Amino acid sequence: QVQLVESGGGLVQAGGSLRLSCASSGRTFSSVVMGWFRLSPGKDREFVAALRWSDSSTYYAGSMKGRFTISRDNAKNTVSLQMNSLKPEDTAVYYCASATYYRGGFSYEGRSYYDYWGQGTQVTVSS
């Protein structure tokens, strides 16, 4: 069992930055991929970024590449999402997710790749 708790959300002006964190507990060694998704009103849950635990390879959605950075802190068992140059359209609830095994032939961008989800943290970007 893996428990995920997000933090760091809030209200920020356009152009500003926020850093989200995802703290994991439980069987953390079983997390092979950690991902971030977001959910905006009227939209489906959208892939943001992922990090492969074995080698820290990172993956980003096209619109986030260059603005967002996913990283890990082994000592704290956390995965962070640094978000820069925020835009009003980045407003969403951001969720952390954990995959406990590799799914061959499936993409890290798919929600079904992940086994555990956090409760989410709200990010609001004002114009």
Side-chain angles (χ1 to χ4, degrees):
Q1 188 76 12
V2 175
Q3 293 81 41
L4 304 174
V5 178
E6 303 93 337
S7 62
L11 173 64
V12 64
Q13 288 188 331
S17 298
L18 280 175
R19 186 177 182 86
L20 307 182
S21 291
C22 174
S24 58
S25 61
R27 298 181 59 192
T28 56
F29 63 84
S30 67
S31 294
V32 298
V33 177
M34 297 292 294
W36 285 97
F37 287 74
R38 69 185 186 185
L39 181 62
S40 305
K43 295 184 179 181
D44 290 334
R45 194 170 295 197
E46 176 186 23
F47 171 76
V48 174
L51 184 146
R52 187 166 62 192
W53 212 253
S54 61
D55 60 3
S56 295
S57 295
T58 57
Y59 308 84
Y60 298 93
S63 61
M64 289 69 160
K65 196 173 293 184
R67 297 192 299 127
F68 293 5
T69 302
I70 187 171
S71 61
R72 60 190 282 185
D73 185 328
N74 292 340
K76 297 180 180 179
N77 283 334
T78 60
V79 172
S80 297
L81 184 70
Q82 177 68 41
M83 304 186 296
N84 299 327
S85 303
L86 284 163
K87 306 173 183 179
E89 50 264 42
D90 293 318
T91 294
V93 178
Y94 283 72
Y95 296 89
C96 174
S98 167
T100 58
Y101 63 96
Y102 293 111
R103 291 159 167 84
F106 291 86
S107 169
Y108 300 158
E109 298 186 16
R111 289 172 289 171
S112 60
Y113 197 93
Y114 300 87
D115 304 294
Y116 299 99
W117 294 83
Q119 294 300 306
T121 185
Q122 176 70 48
V123 171
T124 303
V125 184
S126 63
S127 57

